[in-house]
Amino acid sequence: MQQPQPSFDHLSTLSVGLMERYAQSGDVLVALRWVLPEILQCINAQAGSLFLLQANTQDLHCKVCVGPVDITGIKVPITSGLVGQAYRERQGLLIADAQQHASHHSAVDNQTGFVTRSILTVPIVFGDQCFGCLQAINRLDEQGDICTFEEVHLSAFQQLATMLGIALQNVDLAGQLVHDALIKKDLKSAEEAQSSLFPGLSSFPFIAGQVIPARNLSGDFVDYFTVGDHIVFCQGDVAGKGIPAALTVARCLALFRLFAKAGLPPEQIAHNINHELFELASRSEMSAGFVTFLVGCFDPNTRQVTFVNCGHGDVLLVHANQTVEHMGALLPPLGVVASDTLNFQTHSWHLPKQMARMYVFTDGILEANANGKELGLQGVTALAKAVVHLPVEQALTKIMGLFQQARLQTTDDATLMIVGE
Protein backbone atom coordinates (compact mmCIF):
# COMPACT_ATOMS: atom_id res chain seq x y z
CA MET A 1 0.00 0.00 0.00
CA GLN A 2 1.42 3.39 -1.01
CA GLN A 3 1.91 6.02 1.66
CA PRO A 4 -0.21 9.11 0.78
CA GLN A 5 1.63 12.36 0.21
CA PRO A 6 1.43 14.94 2.99
CA SER A 7 -1.31 17.53 2.44
CA PHE A 8 -0.62 21.23 1.95
CA ASP A 9 -2.21 21.91 5.35
CA HIS A 10 0.13 19.46 7.02
CA LEU A 11 3.17 21.03 5.32
CA SER A 12 2.03 24.45 6.51
CA THR A 13 1.57 23.10 10.04
CA LEU A 14 5.12 21.74 10.06
CA SER A 15 6.51 25.02 8.74
CA VAL A 16 4.64 27.08 11.31
CA GLY A 17 5.62 24.69 14.09
CA LEU A 18 9.28 24.92 13.14
CA MET A 19 9.21 28.75 13.15
CA GLU A 20 7.35 28.83 16.48
CA ARG A 21 9.94 26.62 18.14
CA TYR A 22 12.74 28.69 16.67
CA ALA A 23 11.11 31.87 17.98
CA GLN A 24 10.66 30.36 21.45
CA SER A 25 14.15 28.92 21.79
CA GLY A 26 16.23 31.21 19.59
CA ASP A 27 18.06 28.05 18.49
CA VAL A 28 17.38 26.67 15.02
CA LEU A 29 18.68 23.21 16.03
CA VAL A 30 15.99 22.91 18.68
CA ALA A 31 13.39 23.53 15.98
CA LEU A 32 15.04 21.13 13.54
CA ARG A 33 15.20 18.36 16.16
CA TRP A 34 11.43 18.69 16.48
CA VAL A 35 10.65 18.81 12.77
CA LEU A 36 12.82 15.91 11.53
CA PRO A 37 10.87 13.14 13.31
CA GLU A 38 7.65 14.73 12.03
CA ILE A 39 9.02 14.64 8.48
CA LEU A 40 10.13 11.02 8.77
CA GLN A 41 6.75 10.02 10.14
CA CYS A 42 5.11 11.49 7.03
CA ILE A 43 6.90 8.94 4.83
CA ASN A 44 7.10 6.18 7.45
CA ALA A 45 10.91 6.06 7.50
CA GLN A 46 12.90 4.09 10.07
CA ALA A 47 15.71 6.63 10.33
CA GLY A 48 16.82 9.92 8.91
CA SER A 49 19.26 12.77 9.15
CA LEU A 50 19.58 16.42 8.32
CA PHE A 51 22.82 17.70 6.79
CA LEU A 52 23.54 21.43 6.60
CA LEU A 53 26.36 23.15 4.77
CA GLN A 54 28.92 24.37 7.26
CA ALA A 55 29.75 28.06 6.84
CA ASN A 56 33.03 28.80 5.03
CA THR A 57 33.62 25.10 4.26
CA GLN A 58 32.80 22.57 1.56
CA ASP A 59 31.43 20.07 4.09
CA LEU A 60 27.90 18.98 4.91
CA HIS A 61 27.53 18.40 8.64
CA CYS A 62 24.92 16.09 10.14
CA LYS A 63 23.13 18.39 12.58
CA VAL A 64 20.13 16.23 13.50
CA CYS A 65 19.71 12.47 13.40
CA VAL A 66 16.75 10.21 14.19
CA GLY A 67 16.90 6.42 14.38
CA PRO A 68 18.80 3.47 15.86
CA VAL A 69 22.22 4.92 14.99
CA ASP A 70 23.28 8.46 15.89
CA ILE A 71 25.57 9.96 13.24
CA THR A 72 25.20 13.55 14.49
CA GLY A 73 28.41 15.46 13.82
CA ILE A 74 29.58 13.40 10.85
CA LYS A 75 31.01 15.47 8.00
CA VAL A 76 30.50 14.62 4.35
CA PRO A 77 32.36 16.59 1.65
CA ILE A 78 30.03 17.94 -1.03
CA THR A 79 32.16 16.04 -3.53
CA SER A 80 31.27 12.58 -2.20
CA GLY A 81 28.43 10.32 -1.14
CA LEU A 82 24.73 10.43 -1.89
CA VAL A 83 24.38 13.55 0.24
CA GLY A 84 27.11 15.31 -1.74
CA GLN A 85 25.58 14.21 -5.05
CA ALA A 86 22.12 15.49 -4.14
CA TYR A 87 23.62 18.76 -2.95
CA ARG A 88 25.69 19.28 -6.11
CA GLU A 89 22.99 18.28 -8.59
CA ARG A 90 20.06 19.85 -6.69
CA GLN A 91 18.15 16.64 -7.45
CA GLY A 92 16.44 14.08 -5.22
CA LEU A 93 17.80 10.52 -5.25
CA LEU A 94 15.92 7.27 -4.63
CA ILE A 95 18.21 4.31 -4.01
CA ALA A 96 16.19 1.07 -3.85
CA ASP A 97 19.13 -1.10 -2.70
CA ALA A 98 21.84 0.86 -0.92
CA GLN A 99 24.06 -2.20 -0.53
CA GLN A 100 24.51 -2.35 -4.29
CA HIS A 101 25.12 1.39 -4.80
CA ALA A 102 28.70 2.63 -5.14
CA SER A 103 28.04 6.01 -3.49
CA HIS A 104 26.64 4.54 -0.28
CA HIS A 105 29.00 4.76 2.67
CA SER A 106 28.80 1.31 4.27
CA ALA A 107 31.32 2.08 7.03
CA VAL A 108 28.61 3.14 9.50
CA ASP A 109 26.61 -0.03 8.78
CA ASN A 110 29.70 -2.16 9.30
CA GLN A 111 30.50 -0.47 12.61
CA THR A 112 26.98 -0.49 14.06
CA GLY A 113 25.30 -3.50 12.53
CA PHE A 114 22.51 -1.29 11.20
CA VAL A 115 21.39 -2.39 7.73
CA THR A 116 20.64 0.35 5.24
CA ARG A 117 18.42 -0.90 2.46
CA SER A 118 16.55 1.90 0.79
CA ILE A 119 17.52 5.60 0.91
CA LEU A 120 15.90 8.88 -0.06
CA THR A 121 18.21 11.90 -0.32
CA VAL A 122 16.89 15.32 -1.31
CA PRO A 123 18.45 18.81 -1.33
CA ILE A 124 16.97 21.57 0.82
CA VAL A 125 16.69 24.41 -1.65
CA PHE A 126 15.20 27.87 -1.62
CA GLY A 127 15.73 29.92 -4.76
CA ASP A 128 19.41 29.76 -5.66
CA GLN A 129 20.46 28.74 -2.17
CA CYS A 130 20.96 25.14 -1.07
CA PHE A 131 21.07 24.81 2.72
CA GLY A 132 21.95 21.09 2.75
CA CYS A 133 20.16 17.75 2.39
CA LEU A 134 17.53 15.57 4.03
CA GLN A 135 18.07 11.83 4.08
CA ALA A 136 15.55 9.11 4.98
CA ILE A 137 16.49 5.44 5.46
CA ASN A 138 14.39 2.26 5.24
CA ARG A 139 10.67 2.63 4.76
CA LEU A 140 8.54 0.64 7.21
CA ASP A 141 5.27 -0.97 6.22
CA GLU A 142 2.17 -1.20 8.40
CA GLN A 143 3.60 -4.26 10.17
CA GLY A 144 6.89 -2.48 10.90
CA ASP A 145 8.88 -4.48 8.39
CA ILE A 146 11.50 -2.82 6.19
CA CYS A 147 10.43 -2.28 2.60
CA THR A 148 11.46 -0.10 -0.32
CA PHE A 149 10.78 3.56 -0.91
CA GLU A 150 8.92 4.38 -4.10
CA GLU A 151 8.63 7.44 -6.35
CA VAL A 152 5.60 8.67 -4.43
CA HIS A 153 7.70 8.79 -1.28
CA LEU A 154 10.50 10.65 -3.07
CA SER A 155 7.96 13.19 -4.30
CA ALA A 156 6.57 13.64 -0.79
CA PHE A 157 10.07 13.91 0.68
CA GLN A 158 10.98 16.60 -1.84
CA GLN A 159 7.88 18.57 -0.88
CA LEU A 160 8.89 18.32 2.76
CA ALA A 161 12.42 19.46 1.87
CA THR A 162 10.94 22.43 -0.01
CA MET A 163 8.93 23.32 3.10
CA LEU A 164 12.08 23.04 5.18
CA GLY A 165 13.96 25.26 2.71
CA ILE A 166 11.31 27.95 3.06
CA ALA A 167 11.43 27.64 6.83
CA LEU A 168 15.24 27.83 6.92
CA GLN A 169 15.13 30.89 4.69
CA ASN A 170 12.69 32.44 7.16
CA VAL A 171 15.07 31.55 9.97
CA ASP A 172 17.87 33.28 8.08
CA LEU A 173 15.69 36.32 7.53
CA ALA A 174 14.61 36.38 11.16
CA GLY A 175 18.24 36.16 12.24
CA GLN A 176 19.16 38.96 9.87
CA LEU A 177 16.32 41.10 11.19
CA VAL A 178 17.57 40.60 14.74
CA HIS A 179 21.09 41.39 13.60
CA ASP A 180 19.89 44.49 11.73
CA ALA A 181 17.84 45.58 14.73
CA LEU A 182 20.91 45.32 16.95
CA ILE A 183 22.93 47.31 14.42
CA LYS A 184 20.19 49.93 14.26
CA LYS A 185 20.13 50.08 18.05
CA ASP A 186 23.91 50.50 18.14
CA LEU A 187 23.74 53.15 15.40
CA LYS A 188 21.02 55.00 17.29
CA SER A 189 23.15 54.96 20.42
CA ALA A 190 26.17 56.12 18.43
CA GLU A 191 24.09 58.85 16.80
CA GLU A 192 22.91 60.10 20.19
CA ALA A 193 26.44 59.94 21.57
CA GLN A 194 27.83 61.88 18.61
CA SER A 195 25.09 64.51 18.85
CA SER A 196 26.07 65.10 22.46
CA LEU A 197 29.58 66.00 21.28
CA PHE A 198 28.31 69.02 19.36
CA PRO A 199 27.32 72.26 21.17
CA GLY A 200 23.73 73.43 21.37
CA LEU A 201 22.46 76.27 19.21
CA SER A 202 21.95 78.74 22.04
CA SER A 203 25.21 78.14 23.90
CA PHE A 204 26.87 81.52 23.20
CA PRO A 205 25.75 84.95 21.93
CA PHE A 206 28.69 85.41 19.55
CA ILE A 207 28.80 82.07 17.78
CA ALA A 208 26.44 79.37 16.52
CA GLY A 209 27.02 76.12 14.66
CA GLN A 210 25.05 73.12 13.51
CA VAL A 211 25.69 69.75 11.85
CA ILE A 212 22.99 68.03 9.77
CA PRO A 213 24.20 64.47 9.05
CA ALA A 214 23.39 62.97 5.67
CA ARG A 215 23.14 59.56 7.38
CA ASN A 216 23.05 58.27 10.94
CA LEU A 217 26.60 59.33 11.72
CA SER A 218 28.34 62.46 10.53
CA GLY A 219 31.86 62.92 9.22
CA ASP A 220 31.48 66.67 9.87
CA PHE A 221 31.97 68.24 13.27
CA VAL A 222 31.82 71.60 15.00
CA ASP A 223 32.69 72.67 18.53
CA TYR A 224 33.15 75.87 20.54
CA PHE A 225 33.48 76.92 24.17
CA THR A 226 35.05 79.66 26.29
CA VAL A 227 38.60 79.65 27.56
CA GLY A 228 39.10 82.67 29.76
CA ASP A 229 37.79 85.71 27.89
CA HIS A 230 38.00 84.02 24.48
CA ILE A 231 35.74 81.73 22.54
CA VAL A 232 37.67 78.92 20.85
CA PHE A 233 36.06 77.07 17.98
CA CYS A 234 36.68 74.49 15.30
CA GLN A 235 34.98 72.92 12.32
CA GLY A 236 36.08 69.87 10.34
CA ASP A 237 35.17 67.39 7.66
CA VAL A 238 36.58 63.86 7.81
CA ALA A 239 37.22 62.04 4.54
CA GLY A 240 35.04 58.93 4.31
CA LYS A 241 31.71 57.90 5.76
CA GLY A 242 30.12 55.82 8.48
CA ILE A 243 31.66 54.47 11.66
CA PRO A 244 35.37 54.99 10.71
CA ALA A 245 34.68 58.66 9.97
CA ALA A 246 32.66 59.03 13.18
CA LEU A 247 35.55 57.60 15.22
CA THR A 248 37.91 60.14 13.65
CA VAL A 249 35.40 62.89 14.47
CA ALA A 250 35.45 61.82 18.12
CA ARG A 251 39.25 61.71 18.12
CA CYS A 252 39.55 65.19 16.59
CA LEU A 253 37.07 66.71 19.04
CA ALA A 254 38.82 65.11 22.01
CA LEU A 255 42.20 66.45 20.85
CA PHE A 256 40.75 69.89 20.13
CA ARG A 257 39.28 70.16 23.62
CA LEU A 258 42.46 68.87 25.24
CA PHE A 259 44.72 71.40 23.53
CA ALA A 260 42.26 74.31 23.57
CA LYS A 261 41.56 73.97 27.30
CA ALA A 262 45.31 73.92 27.87
CA GLY A 263 45.31 77.49 26.54
CA LEU A 264 47.18 76.78 23.29
CA PRO A 265 46.70 79.24 20.39
CA PRO A 266 44.99 78.10 17.16
CA GLU A 267 48.24 77.48 15.27
CA GLN A 268 49.57 75.21 18.03
CA ILE A 269 46.27 73.34 18.29
CA ALA A 270 46.34 72.68 14.53
CA HIS A 271 49.99 71.62 14.72
CA ASN A 272 49.37 69.16 17.55
CA ILE A 273 46.23 67.55 16.10
CA ASN A 274 47.93 67.18 12.71
CA HIS A 275 50.89 65.51 14.45
CA GLU A 276 48.59 63.02 16.20
CA LEU A 277 46.67 62.11 13.04
CA PHE A 278 49.82 61.84 10.92
CA GLU A 279 51.47 59.60 13.53
CA LEU A 280 48.35 57.45 13.74
CA ALA A 281 48.40 56.91 9.97
CA SER A 282 52.10 56.04 10.11
CA ARG A 283 51.66 53.50 12.92
CA SER A 284 48.78 51.74 11.22
CA GLU A 285 50.71 51.54 7.93
CA MET A 286 47.65 52.86 6.13
CA SER A 287 45.93 56.16 5.57
CA ALA A 288 43.49 56.99 8.35
CA GLY A 289 41.78 59.52 6.06
CA PHE A 290 42.53 63.22 5.98
CA VAL A 291 40.54 65.89 7.81
CA THR A 292 39.82 69.38 6.50
CA PHE A 293 39.94 71.57 9.59
CA LEU A 294 39.57 75.16 10.71
CA VAL A 295 40.40 76.23 14.24
CA GLY A 296 40.25 79.72 15.70
CA CYS A 297 39.50 81.98 18.63
CA PHE A 298 37.35 85.07 18.99
CA ASP A 299 37.92 87.87 21.52
CA PRO A 300 34.56 89.59 22.22
CA ASN A 301 36.40 92.56 23.74
CA THR A 302 38.70 93.40 20.82
CA ARG A 303 36.34 91.83 18.25
CA GLN A 304 39.33 90.08 16.73
CA VAL A 305 39.06 86.57 15.28
CA THR A 306 42.20 84.57 14.58
CA PHE A 307 42.09 81.27 12.72
CA VAL A 308 44.08 78.57 10.92
CA ASN A 309 42.59 76.93 7.84
CA CYS A 310 43.86 73.44 7.03
CA GLY A 311 42.36 72.48 3.68
CA HIS A 312 38.86 73.56 4.72
CA GLY A 313 37.98 75.67 1.69
CA ASP A 314 36.85 79.27 1.53
CA VAL A 315 35.76 81.17 4.61
CA LEU A 316 33.52 84.21 4.21
CA LEU A 317 33.62 87.59 5.97
CA VAL A 318 30.27 89.25 5.36
CA HIS A 319 29.86 92.90 6.30
CA ALA A 320 26.59 94.55 7.25
CA ASN A 321 26.88 96.73 4.15
CA GLN A 322 26.76 93.52 2.03
CA THR A 323 30.43 93.60 1.03
CA VAL A 324 32.13 90.21 1.24
CA GLU A 325 35.69 88.97 1.69
CA HIS A 326 36.81 85.39 1.45
CA MET A 327 39.94 83.51 2.45
CA GLY A 328 41.00 80.10 1.15
CA ALA A 329 43.00 77.42 2.91
CA LEU A 330 46.68 78.13 3.47
CA LEU A 331 47.56 74.62 4.64
CA PRO A 332 46.83 71.03 3.56
CA PRO A 333 44.24 68.94 5.44
CA LEU A 334 45.27 67.35 8.72
CA GLY A 335 46.95 63.96 8.66
CA VAL A 336 48.57 64.34 5.22
CA VAL A 337 51.93 66.02 5.90
CA ALA A 338 54.15 65.91 9.00
CA SER A 339 53.67 68.93 11.25
CA ASP A 340 57.38 69.78 11.42
CA THR A 341 57.43 70.49 7.68
CA LEU A 342 54.50 72.95 7.80
CA ASN A 343 54.13 76.60 8.75
CA PHE A 344 50.84 76.86 10.62
CA GLN A 345 50.15 80.41 9.61
CA THR A 346 47.21 82.25 11.17
CA HIS A 347 44.91 84.81 9.62
CA SER A 348 42.95 87.51 11.45
CA TRP A 349 39.78 89.45 10.79
CA HIS A 350 38.18 92.26 12.73
CA LEU A 351 34.48 91.72 13.43
CA PRO A 352 33.01 95.06 14.59
CA LYS A 353 29.84 94.68 16.64
CA GLN A 354 26.84 94.12 14.35
CA MET A 355 29.03 95.05 11.38
CA ALA A 356 30.71 91.82 10.22
CA ARG A 357 30.43 88.06 10.57
CA MET A 358 32.54 85.07 9.69
CA TYR A 359 30.90 82.09 7.92
CA VAL A 360 32.57 78.66 7.98
CA PHE A 361 30.96 75.75 6.13
CA THR A 362 31.63 72.27 4.73
CA ASP A 363 31.21 70.79 1.26
CA GLY A 364 27.68 69.68 2.09
CA ILE A 365 26.65 73.36 2.13
CA LEU A 366 28.75 74.37 -0.87
CA GLU A 367 27.55 71.50 -3.05
CA ALA A 368 23.90 71.68 -1.99
CA ASN A 369 21.33 71.60 -4.78
CA ALA A 370 18.57 74.19 -5.16
CA ASN A 371 16.12 73.66 -8.02
CA GLY A 372 18.62 71.54 -9.94
CA LYS A 373 21.49 73.99 -9.55
CA GLU A 374 24.49 73.66 -7.24
CA LEU A 375 24.67 76.39 -4.60
CA GLY A 376 28.40 77.06 -4.91
CA LEU A 377 30.31 79.88 -3.25
CA GLN A 378 28.11 82.48 -4.90
CA GLY A 379 24.96 80.87 -3.52
CA VAL A 380 26.40 80.55 -0.01
CA THR A 381 27.39 84.21 -0.16
CA ALA A 382 23.85 85.16 -1.18
CA LEU A 383 22.42 83.20 1.76
CA ALA A 384 24.83 84.92 4.16
CA LYS A 385 23.83 88.35 2.83
CA ALA A 386 20.15 87.50 3.18
CA VAL A 387 20.43 86.85 6.93
CA VAL A 388 22.94 89.53 7.83
CA HIS A 389 20.27 91.49 9.73
CA LEU A 390 19.28 88.53 11.97
CA PRO A 391 20.91 87.56 15.28
CA VAL A 392 23.57 84.88 14.85
CA GLU A 393 21.47 81.98 16.13
CA GLN A 394 18.46 82.99 14.02
CA ALA A 395 20.66 83.44 10.97
CA LEU A 396 22.01 79.92 11.38
CA THR A 397 18.53 78.46 11.93
CA LYS A 398 17.22 80.26 8.85
CA ILE A 399 19.89 78.81 6.56
CA MET A 400 19.97 75.29 8.01
CA GLY A 401 16.17 75.21 7.99
CA LEU A 402 16.36 75.16 4.19
CA PHE A 403 17.90 71.66 4.42
CA GLN A 404 15.34 70.45 6.94
CA GLN A 405 12.56 71.75 4.67
CA ALA A 406 14.23 70.04 1.65
CA ARG A 407 14.47 73.37 -0.17
CA LEU A 408 18.20 72.68 -0.23
CA GLN A 409 19.29 69.08 -0.81
CA THR A 410 22.65 67.43 -0.39
CA THR A 411 24.06 63.91 -0.28
CA ASP A 412 26.79 65.02 2.13
CA ASP A 413 26.81 66.17 5.74
CA ALA A 414 25.90 69.86 5.97
CA THR A 415 27.67 71.99 8.57
CA LEU A 416 27.64 75.74 9.12
CA MET A 417 29.19 77.95 11.79
CA ILE A 418 28.76 81.71 12.15
CA VAL A 419 31.07 83.85 14.28
CA GLY A 420 30.25 87.47 15.11
CA GLU A 421 27.27 89.38 16.39
Side-chain angles (χ1 to χ4, degrees):
M1 180 177 179
Q2 291 184 338
Q3 181 77 16
Q5 294 193 40
S7 68
F8 178 80
D9 288 341
H10 188 59
L11 293 177
S12 298
T13 300
L14 288 181
S15 182
V16 170
L18 186 144
M19 289 304 300
E20 286 179 346
R21 282 160 178 77
Y22 169 67
Q24 292 168 1
S25 66
D27 187 344
V28 69
L29 287 182
V30 170
L32 292 173
R33 290 188 187 105
W34 169 82
V35 79
L36 183 58
E38 297 289 330
I39 290 174
L40 296 179
Q41 185 177 358
C42 289
I43 57 171
N44 221 28
Q46 183 184 21
S49 52
L50 169 66
F51 290 81
L52 296 179
L53 184 68
Q54 187 74 7
N56 303 317
T57 72
Q58 294 294 298
D59 293 331
L60 293 158
H61 287 205
C62 181
K63 294 294 186 180
V64 184
C65 181
V66 175
V69 178
D70 187 2
I71 61 168
T72 304
I74 192 173
K75 301 178 184 179
V76 178
I78 63 172
T79 56
S80 66
L82 294 173
V83 172
Q85 182 180 345
Y87 178 87
R88 294 192 311 274
E89 298 177 358
R90 305 292 200 266
Q91 293 289 332
L93 303 173
L94 191 165
I95 307 302
D97 187 354
Q99 301 301 319
Q100 303 300 317
H101 200 281
S103 295
H104 171 58
H105 288 292
S106 58
V108 174
D109 287 3
N110 295 335
Q111 292 173 5
T112 63
F114 180 81
V115 179
T116 301
R117 298 192 184 279
S118 183
I119 303 178
L120 296 179
T121 310
V122 294
I124 305 168
V125 178
F126 182 88
D128 295 332
Q129 183 174 6
C130 185
F131 293 95
C133 291
L134 271 178
Q135 193 165 68
I137 300 174
N138 295 348
R139 186 170 74 92
L140 300 177
D141 62 19
E142 293 181 354
Q143 288 72 42
D145 296 326
I146 296 175
C147 53
T148 302
F149 288 114
E150 299 175 8
E151 289 293 334
V152 66
H153 303 111
L154 177 62
S155 177
F157 205 39
Q158 287 174 324
Q159 289 188 50
L160 291 163
T162 298
M163 173 276 297
L164 188 55
I166 294 171
L168 288 175
Q169 176 67 10
N170 288 337
V171 168
D172 273 4
L173 290 175
Q176 188 61 46
L177 286 173
V178 171
H179 182 257
D180 291 347
L182 291 174
I183 290 176
K184 287 180 180 178
K185 182 179 178 181
D186 289 344
L187 282 175
K188 184 63 177 177
S189 298
E191 182 181 355
E192 293 172 354
Q194 188 183 66
S195 296
S196 70
L197 297 176
F198 305 144
L201 286 177
S202 58
S203 300
F204 301 94
F206 307 117
I207 188 170
Q210 185 179 2
V211 177
I212 298 181
R215 303 176 185 174
N216 297 78
L217 298 174
S218 175
D220 285 5
F221 60 91
V222 65
D223 198 10
Y224 45 84
F225 49 85
T226 56
V227 176
D229 295 333
H230 294 72
I231 297 173
V232 292
F233 57 85
C234 74
Q235 185 182 114
D237 184 357
V238 177
K241 302 291 182 185
I243 293 175
L247 291 174
T248 302
V249 166
R251 181 184 295 273
C252 288
L253 287 174
L255 291 171
F256 166 68
R257 293 173 187 178
L258 172 67
F259 298 135
K261 288 181 178 181
L264 299 181
E267 62 272 23
Q268 194 61 50
I269 293 173
H271 176 283
N272 289 359
I273 296 178
N274 182 72
H275 175 75
E276 292 294 329
L277 295 182
F278 185 79
E279 287 296 307
L280 174 64
S282 300
R283 289 196 303 271
S284 63
E285 298 182 356
M286 61 179 292
S287 174
F290 64 83
V291 182
T292 69
F293 183 72
L294 184 142
V295 57
C297 66
F298 175 64
D299 186 341
N301 297 315
T302 65
R303 316 297 300 182
Q304 199 75 11
V305 61
T306 303
F307 60 93
V308 177
N309 189 343
C310 300
H312 202 57
D314 287 283
V315 182
L316 298 181
L317 178 62
V318 181
H319 298 271
N321 63 5
Q322 301 284 306
T323 59
V324 178
E325 301 176 47
H326 60 88
M327 171 64 66
L330 301 176
L331 290 158
L334 301 181
V336 177
V337 181
S339 290
D340 293 342
T341 65
L342 297 173
N343 176 19
F344 287 86
Q345 182 180 349
T346 61
H347 190 81
S348 295
W349 275 336
H350 187 235
L351 308 181
K353 188 175 183 179
Q354 298 180 343
M355 296 298 293
R357 289 176 182 167
M358 176 180 176
Y359 287 76
V360 188
F361 43 90
T362 60
D363 288 344
I365 301 283
L366 195 66
E367 298 170 0
N369 190 288
N371 299 320
K373 183 179 180 181
E374 188 176 280
L375 200 60
L377 187 60
Q378 184 177 356
V380 176
T381 302
L383 288 176
K385 288 182 177 181
V387 298
V388 72
H389 62 288
L390 296 175
V392 170
E393 182 182 335
Q394 292 183 27
L396 178 80
T397 301
K398 185 80 171 180
I399 294 175
M400 299 304 277
L402 297 175
F403 289 94
Q404 294 165 333
Q405 300 159 18
R407 295 172 62 186
L408 284 176
Q409 298 180 337
T410 182
T411 57
D412 201 354
D413 305 318
T415 303
L416 175 64
M417 180 169 61
I418 307 175
V419 183
E421 191 176 359

